[in-house]
């Protein structure tokens, strides 16, 4: 079989794929919101840099599809070109014929030929499926802790204002410099993340965007959602700058929780993971991080970091990295 990967137009994808994937990935949103969120990213500068949705056709019909986007991975002073894969989907009647495997194989070949160093994805199915295609699984966990176990002193947190975003970025970068490698948050990536965080939330969730300043400098921030049904402040992103910033994190997360009982979310990478109390940690069933090195540089990165990633007490990426 000659496998040909093709871009799938935004309209075609919205018309032919989204109705089938809504049940899986709607995540409490209305169908209209699900489509709107897809169109927002697909038509953003970030989504338009390359065909954002691609697929495999047979006899003109789309038999498998996925999303595909670029990220840069910083490793010390090196930059690696990473290709992100998401929303791998084959319509039910067509499953089990090898369409998704053929699409992913062709995509990895094309990305390797285009000079990309590694591929990554966040799997919602048993990772063995992607391991057969050459991906490695990285620990992927959730944390939960009792809000009243966190420092209850006043944090001085204030709602994040539009003018605070430059400070948020500086704060994240200060923390990120302590890491040997990470996905780089370029201005385009920040735009995309802000857009995702600013989108209206499903009923029963309230947005939380808090910042702590010392003088005019932002020293810590936390972004997430209060999910009332789960009695939990779900933390999507936070960072701190300096010892003062780090010391305020527990009180900041407690302020984010308000009167909810729990704080939780994806286990953040080191060193952020150590900025709050221990709580309980368990494996995630969704969003399991996987990597496939593609180039000699990608393989060198994996060889040198594999033990720390696999054996680490923290996850390797932030939940905000999951597009
Ligand atoms: C996963 C999926 C894309 C596979 O598509 P496909 O075209 O049938 O894939 P292939 O023919 O290449 O592979 C079929 C294999 O997928 C495996 N598979 C399907 N669902 C799986 C799951 N939840 N966990 C692990 N493997 C799974 C099957 O076991 C099958 O293996 P087998 O043929 O040895 O029994 C398809 O089942 C699908 O669209 N599922 C719903 C969307 C989804 O969850 N996507 C994954 C997002 S990370």
């Amino acid at each position: 079989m000659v496998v040909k990967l093709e871009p799938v137009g935004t309209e075609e994808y919205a018309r032919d794929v989204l109705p089938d994937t809504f049940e899986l990935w709607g995540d409490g949103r209305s169908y209209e919101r699900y489509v709107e969120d897809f169109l927002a990213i697909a038509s953003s500068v970030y989504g338009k840099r390359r065909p954002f949705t691609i697929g495999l056709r047979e006899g003109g019909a789309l038999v498998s599809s996925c999303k595909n986007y670029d990220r840069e991975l910083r490793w010390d002073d090196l930059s690696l070109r990473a290709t992100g894969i998401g929303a791998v989907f084959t319509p039910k009647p067509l499953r089990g014929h090898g369409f998704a495997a053929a699409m992913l194989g062709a995509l990895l070949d094309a990305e390797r030929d285009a000079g990309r160093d590694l591929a990554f994805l966040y799997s919602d199915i048993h990772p063995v499926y992607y391991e057969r295609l050459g991906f490695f699984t990285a620990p992927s966990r959730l944390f939960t802790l009792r809000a009243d176990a966190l420092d209850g002193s006043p944090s001085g947190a204030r709602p994040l204002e539009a003018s605070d975003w430059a400070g948020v970025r500086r704060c994240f970068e200060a923390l990120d410099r302590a890491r040997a490698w990470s996905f780089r948050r370029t201005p385009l990536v920040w735009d995309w993340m802000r857009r995702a965080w600013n989108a209206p939330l499903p009923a029963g969730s309230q947005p939380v965007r808090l910042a702590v300043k010392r003088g005019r400098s932002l020293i810590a921030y936390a972004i997430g959602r209060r999910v009332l049904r789960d009695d939990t402040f779900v933390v999507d992103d936070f960072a701190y700058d300096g010892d003062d910033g780090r010391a305020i994190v527990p009180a900041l997360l407690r302020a984010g929780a308000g009167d909810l009982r729990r704080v939780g979310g994806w286990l953040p990478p080191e060193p952020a993971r150590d900025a709050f109390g221990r709580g309980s940690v368990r494996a995630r069933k969704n969003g399991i991080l996987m990597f496939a090195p593609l180039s000699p540089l990608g393989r060198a990165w994996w060889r040198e970091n594999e033990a720390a990633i696999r054996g680490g007490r923290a996850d390797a990426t932030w939940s905000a990295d999951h597009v």
Side-chain angles (χ1 to χ4, degrees):
M1 171 167 72
V2 179
V3 171
K4 199 161 173 277
L5 264 188
E6 288 176 19
V8 178
T10 303
E11 275 173 31
E12 179 186 358
Y13 191 87
R15 186 189 63 226
D16 294 349
V17 181
L18 292 185
D20 290 338
T21 58
F22 173 59
E23 190 189 334
L24 287 167
W25 296 310
D27 206 15
R29 290 170 288 185
S30 68
Y31 181 67
E32 289 67 32
R33 260 298 303 283
Y34 182 61
V35 174
E36 226 171 81
D37 289 349
F38 164 73
L39 293 176
I41 179 157
S43 60
S44 69
V45 183
Y46 184 73
K48 274 183 158 166
R49 278 203 303 192
R50 58 185 297 175
F52 180 58
T53 41
I54 54 177
L56 202 65
R57 279 178 219 277
E58 210 181 56
L62 200 56
V63 294
S64 198
S65 60
C66 66
K67 295 178 183 168
N68 188 209
Y69 54 96
D70 283 329
R71 285 298 295 269
E72 220 178 292
L73 187 148
R74 175 193 61 79
W75 177 26
D76 291 330
D77 296 331
L78 295 171
S79 266
L80 277 69
R81 298 174 68 198
T83 186
I85 301 168
V88 178
F89 182 78
T90 298
K92 272 190 188 142
L94 303 173
R95 289 185 191 161
H97 297 285
F99 289 132
M103 173 181 73
L104 292 167
L107 177 58
L108 294 182
D109 285 346
E111 295 300 287
R112 191 182 291 113
D113 291 348
R116 297 208 166 77
D117 297 303
L118 69 140
F120 70 99
L121 56 80
Y122 291 92
S123 176
D124 289 341
I125 60 173
H126 198 289
V128 76
Y129 178 74
Y130 296 107
E131 284 171 356
R132 282 196 214 117
L133 297 168
F135 283 84
F136 298 102
T137 304
S140 302
R141 295 159 288 204
L142 295 167
F143 79 94
T144 319
L145 46 85
R146 283 190 8 238
D148 65 9
L150 293 164
D151 181 2
S153 27
S155 63
R158 299 270 177 278
L160 200 65
E161 291 167 17
S163 56
D164 288 331
W165 282 100
V168 164
R169 204 174 148 191
R170 250 194 327 272
C171 198
F172 179 83
E173 280 164 6
L175 178 67
D176 197 54
R177 274 195 290 277
R179 305 190 61 202
W181 70 270
S182 62
F183 282 124
R184 207 189 286 278
R185 293 193 184 178
T186 62
L188 272 184
V189 170
W190 275 110
D191 279 353
W192 177 77
M193 287 178 178
R194 276 181 64 178
R195 194 176 189 128
W197 291 326
N198 282 331
L201 291 171
S205 294
Q206 302 164 345
V208 174
R209 286 169 219 133
L210 293 174
V212 181
K213 290 183 179 174
R214 285 281 179 277
R216 296 182 57 203
S217 286
L218 196 146
I219 60 162
Y221 71 87
I223 293 169
R225 297 154 277 146
R226 289 195 186 110
V227 181
L228 307 184
R229 192 189 50 199
D230 300 337
D231 211 358
T232 302
F233 168 36
V234 177
V235 183
D236 290 319
D237 204 52
F238 71 92
Y240 53 86
D241 187 4
D243 292 342
D244 275 8
R246 184 187 155 100
I248 208 75
V249 166
L252 172 61
L253 297 185
R254 184 159 176 170
D259 52 9
L260 299 185
R261 281 179 54 210
R262 286 184 283 272
V263 176
W266 285 32
L267 193 65
E270 297 281 16
R273 190 254 172 275
D274 279 331
F276 56 82
R278 304 192 64 82
S280 69
V281 170
R282 63 185 196 282
R284 285 200 300 271
K285 293 199 177 68
N286 290 322
I288 301 163
L289 175 62
M290 307 191 72
F291 293 108
L294 300 176
S295 73
L297 182 59
R299 282 189 285 278
W301 166 78
W302 179 248
R303 223 174 21 246
E304 297 236 346
N305 293 283
E306 177 181 3
I309 292 173
R310 288 200 198 259
R313 295 175 50 251
D315 277 20
T317 65
W318 290 93
S319 72
D321 289 316
H322 182 16
V323 174

